[in-house]
């Protein structure tokens, strides 16, 4: 059962779409790690800096928006007589930042001669 | 509210109040990260004061998501469930203690993969009636018995077919059958209206009555000689009603290739619900179909804004036979 939770307008989230995988720098969890910095140019182009790489993306209005559902309650094994789970619509996503170009390494010091 | 419905062996569907959607999981090789409160360039431009560092947390990520596609409600199961225990009338000899095959509205909502409105509408379409809280479909013989009581009464009272009074029917027939069942049969086979004096009348539906009587005749044999059938059929319907073969669309099929021509029972509701299976079944019954003949048997497969022509293009192959366009299967039928 999906149901709108709470009062007021639904939260609007943004989707960040990256090609490939994101891995933490050292061994460890992604949770609580810093992904990187997000900037926008004057023209509104999103720029993502991850580690020493830079990615250029674009803002895309989703043709089919997403709803974020959070499951609550319900038994671990679904059964016709047991409690039924609820899904609460927590947020809507209408925009995504799509990064599909190859990350470029940021080189700040280029030696003049080897 | 939205509801996800389906048993373990069914594909899940999502239902709103009046629509049904197939649910599919879509995979992507990309990473989708959700960022609550992340601002778009437009939002930042609109609020120049907020040009400091904003710490945002990524709430989570996923590589798959559910996609919804509007689909036809899966209603064949509804009839199947109700046919487990058709209602044979209050005098039925059936063991009334075996109540496990009876379904309330709540039961149906959790078992049928369709929205509530679609389910309630279908219950009306199949002339189901709610008896003591359970939805029941009438046993066909019992249904014909009730219909016969009414048509005999109409005849003996010389009422016009377009003005059959509810009260008088219940009064005259109440000793034979429960009043609710008399009213139910009138609702199933007539159009209810109220006159200026506030009295309830029914305009009897000629096509539906003729069709039911045809079913009654056809269900007793594999097939009938067409001209013999047409004669008996016309004689069997109430005085003042005219039988026509087009009343039997989706119920019976005429075989024009046999000598003499024959007719046999083929009910669309007995055929598979899935598109490909439906076409396989139809082509198994007859190798080549004209569009006129096949349309009543595939009409219900059309999705919103889809035509019969589009279905035929997708699932059949056309050819010409004696100057007439016919359709056959795209693949060999075993």
């Amino acid at each position: 059962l999906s149901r709108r939770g709470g009062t007021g307008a639904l939260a609007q989230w943004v989707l960040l779409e990256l090609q490939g995988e994101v891995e933490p720098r050292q061994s460890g969890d992604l949770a609580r790690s810093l992904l990187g910095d997000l900037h926008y140019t004057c023209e509104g182009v999103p720029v993502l800096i991850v580690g020493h790489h830079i990615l250029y993306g674009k803002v895309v209005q989703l043709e089919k928006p997403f709803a974020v559902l959070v499951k609550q309650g319900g038994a671990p094994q679904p059964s016709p007589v047991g409690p039924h789970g609820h899904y609460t619509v927590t947020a809507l996503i209408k925009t995504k930042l799509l990064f599909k170009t190859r990350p470029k390494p940021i080189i700040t010091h280029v030696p003049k001669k080897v | 509210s939205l509801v996800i419905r389906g048993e373990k062996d069914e594909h899940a569907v999502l239902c709103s109040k009046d629509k049904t959607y197939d649910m599919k999981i879509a995979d992507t090789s990309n990473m989708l990260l959700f960022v609550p409160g992340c601002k778009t360039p437009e939002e930042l431009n609109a609020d120049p004061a907020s040009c400091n560092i904003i710490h945002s947390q990524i709430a989570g990520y996923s590589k798959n998501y559910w996609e919804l596609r509007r689909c036809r409600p899966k209603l064949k199961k509804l009839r199947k469930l109700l046919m487990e225990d058709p209602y044979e009338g209050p005098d039925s000899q059936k063991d009334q203690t075996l109540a496990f095959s009876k379904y309330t509205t709540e039961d149906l909502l959790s078992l049928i993969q369709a929205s509530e409105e679609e389910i309630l509408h279908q219950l009306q379409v199949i002339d189901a009636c709610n008896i003591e809280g359970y939805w029941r479909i009438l046993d066909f013989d019992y249904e014909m018995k009730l219909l016969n009581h009414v048509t005999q009464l109409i005849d003996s009272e010389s009422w016009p077919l377009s003005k059959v009074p509810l009260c008088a029917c219940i009064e005259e027939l109440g000793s034979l059958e429960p009043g609710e069942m008399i009213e139910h049969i009138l609702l199933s086979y007539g159009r209810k209206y109220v006159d200026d004096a506030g009295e309830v009348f029914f305009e009897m539906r000629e096509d539906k009555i003729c069709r039911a009587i045809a079913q009654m005749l056809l269900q007793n044999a594999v097939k009938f000689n067409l001209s013999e059938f047409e004669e008996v059929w016309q004689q069997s319907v109430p005085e003042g009603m005219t039988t026509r073969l087009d009343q039997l669309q989706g119920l019976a099929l005429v075989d024009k290739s046999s000598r003499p021509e024959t007719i046999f029972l083929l009910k669309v509701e007995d055929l598979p619900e899935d598109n490909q299976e439906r076409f396989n079944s139809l082509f198994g019954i007859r190798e080549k179909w004209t569009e006129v003949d096949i349309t009543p048997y595939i009409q219900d497969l059309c999705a919103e804004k889809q035509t019969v022509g589009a279905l035929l293009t997708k699932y059949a192959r056309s050819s010409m036979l004696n100057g007439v366009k016919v359709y056959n299967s795209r693949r060999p039928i075993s």
Side-chain angles (χ1 to χ4, degrees):
Chain A
L1 216 76
S2 305
R3 193 177 286 151
R4 210 172 255 231
T7 55
L10 217 47
Q12 300 268 358
W13 290 6
V14 167
L15 203 64
L16 201 65
E17 186 170 346
L18 304 175
Q19 277 188 342
E21 302 276 340
V22 171
E23 282 172 3
R25 190 193 291 257
Q26 278 108 14
S27 63
D29 288 324
L30 285 175
R32 278 176 287 281
S33 300
L34 173 69
L35 173 69
D37 298 337
L38 176 68
H39 304 261
Y40 294 107
T41 67
C42 299
E43 290 87 33
V45 174
V47 179
L48 188 64
I49 300 178
V50 179
H52 58 256
H53 283 91
I54 185 165
L55 299 97
Y56 292 90
K58 62 176 180 175
V59 177
V60 177
Q61 297 304 322
L62 294 173
E63 210 177 87
K64 284 192 191 177
F66 282 104
V68 181
L69 308 176
V70 175
K71 189 171 183 181
Q72 279 148 3
Q77 289 292 6
S79 80
V81 289
H84 290 268
H86 286 308
Y87 286 97
T88 306
V89 179
T90 304
L92 288 182
I93 302 176
K94 297 187 181 167
T95 313
K96 75 175 175 186
L97 306 176
L98 174 63
F99 293 91
K100 58 181 185 182
T101 58
R102 201 186 190 84
K104 295 188 183 47
I106 304 170
I107 302 164
T108 54
H109 176 66
V110 180
K112 288 200 184 82
K113 258 191 190 165
V114 177
Chain B
S1 267
L2 303 168
V3 186
I4 297 176
R5 295 198 164 116
E7 297 198 80
K8 277 194 201 145
D9 60 337
E10 295 169 326
H11 291 299
V13 299
L14 186 104
C15 303
S16 66
K17 189 161 194 309
D18 63 349
K19 296 185 179 68
T20 307
Y21 301 85
D22 274 324
M23 291 181 78
K24 292 206 161 44
I25 287 199
D27 261 319
T28 170
S29 57
N30 292 354
M31 271 192 94
L32 305 171
L33 303 151
F34 331 122
V35 192
C38 175
K39 300 224 185 289
T40 60
E42 289 81 31
E43 285 163 343
L44 286 172
N45 281 339
D47 183 17
S50 72
C51 284
N52 298 312
I53 294 181
I54 304 169
H55 291 282
S56 296
Q57 212 175 55
I58 296 171
Y61 69 90
S62 182
K63 293 186 77 103
N64 54 47
Y65 53 91
W66 290 340
E67 223 175 54
L68 299 179
R69 195 188 302 182
R70 176 98 193 261
C71 64
R72 280 183 286 120
K74 299 179 200 312
L75 295 166
K76 192 174 160 79
K77 191 176 172 186
L78 178 61
R79 173 181 279 270
K80 180 174 154 245
L81 291 180
L82 297 185
M83 292 288 270
E84 283 172 4
D85 188 16
Y87 183 65
E88 290 176 9
D91 306 325
S92 158
Q93 302 302 310
K94 275 205 302 200
D95 188 350
Q96 292 303 317
T97 59
L98 297 172
F100 60 88
S101 266
K102 300 220 279 266
Y103 302 93
T104 61
T105 308
E106 283 305 308
D107 292 332
L108 295 176
L109 284 174
S110 65
L111 289 167
I112 306 294
Q113 291 187 296
S115 68
E116 182 169 355
E117 265 184 41
E118 286 163 332
I119 292 175
L120 292 175
H121 179 254
Q122 185 68 3
L123 285 167
Q124 207 182 36
V125 164
I126 63 177
D127 294 324
C129 81
N130 194 301
I131 299 172
E132 290 167 12
Y134 296 102
W135 285 102
R136 309 297 297 277
I137 221 171
L138 298 188
D139 169 76
F140 187 67
D141 290 343
Y142 179 59
E143 189 173 338
M144 289 299 103
K145 187 169 146 207
L146 287 168
L147 183 62
N148 196 43
H149 282 320
V150 168
T151 54
Q152 298 254 25
L153 186 64
I154 292 173
D155 192 50
S156 68
E157 297 288 324
S158 300
W159 287 326
L161 289 167
S162 58
K163 201 168 180 180
V164 176
L166 171 63
C167 287
C169 280
I170 295 183
E171 222 178 281
E172 297 295 323
L173 300 171
S175 55
L176 298 169
E177 297 293 342
E180 302 84 52
M181 298 320 298
I182 304 293
E183 186 168 1
H184 176 76
I185 205 75
L186 284 166
L187 283 165
S188 303
Y189 286 91
R191 264 178 229 105
K192 186 174 173 180
Y193 66 94
V194 179
D195 76 350
D196 300 326
E199 266 195 75
V200 178
F201 289 94
F202 288 90
E203 180 191 352
M204 300 316 287
R205 292 162 64 180
E206 178 176 8
D207 290 349
K208 195 166 176 184
I209 292 175
C210 289
R211 189 185 169 98
I213 290 171
Q215 180 177 334
M216 192 175 70
L217 296 170
L218 290 168
Q219 66 180 15
N220 292 322
V222 173
K223 59 178 170 218
F224 277 87
N225 174 306
L226 179 63
S227 48
E228 278 173 23
F229 165 77
E230 283 183 299
E231 209 181 303
V232 174
W233 185 27
Q234 178 62 66
Q235 284 165 12
S236 308
V237 299
E239 190 77 40
M241 289 193 180
T242 311
T243 57
R244 290 184 329 267
L245 280 177
D246 66 68
Q247 290 162 343
L248 306 184
Q249 285 186 2
L251 178 72
L253 200 57
V254 172
D255 186 355
K256 296 191 186 80
S257 65
S258 61
R259 294 278 169 270
E261 288 183 334
T262 55
I263 184 167
F264 61 97
L265 197 66
L266 179 63
K267 293 197 275 175
V268 63
E269 53 262 29
D270 290 342
L271 299 173
E273 194 170 24
D274 168 77
N275 287 13
Q276 187 62 65
E277 283 177 40
R278 171 80 60 94
F279 274 94
N280 290 353
S281 170
L282 288 171
F283 289 126
I285 291 165
R286 179 183 280 186
E287 201 191 328
K288 294 184 201 290
W289 290 75
T290 61
E291 188 169 339
V292 167
D293 279 350
I294 204 172
T295 296
Y297 292 100
I298 56 174
Q299 186 84 66
D300 61 311
L301 301 178
C302 290
E304 222 180 331
K305 294 182 195 131
Q306 191 178 32
T307 61
V308 163
L311 276 174
L312 287 168
T313 304
K314 186 169 177 187
Y315 292 98
R317 183 177 290 144
S318 71
S319 55
M320 294 300 275
L321 182 67
N322 302 330
V324 178
K325 192 173 189 185
V326 290
Y327 294 89
N328 54 285
S329 175
R330 276 182 177 274
R331 51 175 85 169
I333 300 284
S334 54

